[in-house]
Amino acid sequence: MTFSILYPDKSGLEAILRAKIGSAIAEDVDIAPIADRLFGLSGADVKAVARDALGRARVDAVRVTQRHLEIAADQVAPQLDDDTFRRAAVHEAGHVVVTLQLELPLPKRVSPSSQGDQVEHVPVNSLTPTTTQMRLQVLLAGRAAEICTFGDASFGAGSGEQSDLTKATSLALAIERHWGFGESGLLWDGIATADARPAPADVRERVESHLQDAQQRALEAVCPNKEFRIRLAERLIQVREIDGQEIEAIEKRAGAMAH
C-alpha cells in the first residue's frame, strides 16, 4: 500500500530558505512564519520562493526583507484565514483518528496546510482486500471529520488530482478493475484508474458503493471521538506540526477512544 510522503518539515523549510538566501537576508527577518506558510511544498518550490524574494530585493536595492518573503510566499501558498485553517486542522485530525481506530501504525508527522494531504503515514507494503478497505477509510476520514465537526465537507476534501477523494476513487476503481478484489471478478481491463468516466455504469455503481461504505465507516469512527479530534486539531493550530509521539500523548489525555 502506498501512502504519500510529505515534503520538508518546518525545520527543513527554514534551512532551505536560509541556505538559498544566505547573507542577503535582513537581520530582522523572521523565517519561521514563512516556513509555516510553505508546509506541503517541495524543496524545489521553496527554493523558487527564495529566488523570488531575492529578485524583489535586488529590484529594491536592499537585503531580503520580511515583506519580500511574504509576497513571494503568496505566489505559491496564499495565507489561510483562521476558519479555513481550523477546518484543515480538523480534516487532518480525522485521518489520525481513523488510523488509530484501525490499529494502523501511528503517522510519522501531521501538519495542516493549504496544500492538503499532510499526514505522513508509515508505509504498508501489502495490498489485500482488507488493507485496501482500510486505506479507503483513512482517505475519507478527513472528509468525515469535517462533516462531524462543521456539518459538511469543504471542496478542499475533494478537489484536484491530489485530493483524498481523487485518490479514494482511483483506489476503488482498482478494486474493481485491476486487483480482483471486487464484484467485477478477476478480469484486468488495463484502463487507468485515474478516470472513472470510461467505466461501465455497473462498475461506477460499485465504485460509488465502496466510497459510500468507506465514508460511513469513517464517520462512525470519527464522530464519537470528538474530544480527541478537537484536542488534536487545536494542537495542530497551535504548533502547526506534530509527530507520532505527541499524537500518543494527546490520545492519553483525551481518554479511551470510542470504538
Side-chain angles (χ1 to χ4, degrees), residues 83-110:
D83 288 343
T84 303
F85 190 75
R86 175 174 172 75
R87 186 179 280 269
V90 167
H91 182 103
E92 303 307 335
H95 290 303
V96 175
V97 171
V98 173
T99 297
L100 291 173
Q101 288 280 49
L102 294 174
E103 299 183 348
L104 295 170
L106 281 171
K108 295 179 180 178
R109 180 159 53 97
V110 183

Side-chain angles (χ1 to χ4, degrees), residues 234-250:
E234 288 176 347
R235 184 60 176 163
L236 284 168
I237 292 168
Q238 181 182 8
V239 300
R240 302 292 181 118
E241 178 184 74
I242 59 176
D243 59 17
Q245 187 174 2
E246 185 161 6
I247 290 170
E248 280 188 313
I250 295 170

Side-chain angles (χ1 to χ4, degrees), residues 6 21 32 35-36 44 56 135 145 147 155-156 201 223 238 248 259:
L6 287 188
I21 298 172
D36 285 341
R56 295 174 190 277
R135 172 61 170 151
I147 294 171
F155 80 96
C223 291
Q238 181 182 8
E248 280 188 313
H259 289 270

Side-chain angles (χ1 to χ4, degrees), residues 83-205:
D83 288 343
T84 303
F85 190 75
R86 175 174 172 75
R87 186 179 280 269
V90 167
H91 182 103
E92 303 307 335
H95 290 303
V96 175
V97 171
V98 173
T99 297
L100 291 173
Q101 288 280 49
L102 294 174
E103 299 183 348
L104 295 170
L106 281 171
K108 295 179 180 178
R109 180 159 53 97
V110 183
S111 58
S113 84
S114 61
Q115 307 304 312
D117 195 24
Q118 293 301 296
V119 178
E120 183 179 8
H121 295 273
V122 176
V124 178
N125 296 320
S126 177
L127 272 174
T128 67
T130 298
T131 58
T132 304
Q133 292 296 332
M134 287 180 173
R135 172 61 170 151
L136 276 177
Q137 291 175 48
V138 172
L139 280 169
L140 295 177
R143 183 182 184 88
E146 291 190 40
I147 294 171
C148 293
T149 307
F150 305 108
D152 54 19
S154 67
F155 80 96
S159 66
E161 294 182 358
Q162 295 302 312
S163 74
D164 295 334
L165 191 55
T166 301
K167 293 176 182 177
T169 300
S170 294
L171 191 62
L173 279 165
I175 288 172
E176 291 295 332
R177 309 185 77 170
H178 288 181
W179 298 333
F181 293 166
E183 296 179 16
S184 300
L186 300 180
L187 177 67
W188 181 82
D189 65 15
I191 297 177
T193 59
D195 190 348
R197 287 173 294 181
D202 60 331
V203 174
R204 290 173 62 88
E205 288 177 4

Side-chain angles (χ1 to χ4, degrees), residues 212-228:
Q212 291 289 350
D213 181 65
Q215 178 171 282
Q216 182 58 38
R217 290 175 182 271
L219 286 166
E220 291 170 358
V222 172
C223 291
N225 288 291
K226 180 178 179 180
E227 183 174 356
F228 175 60

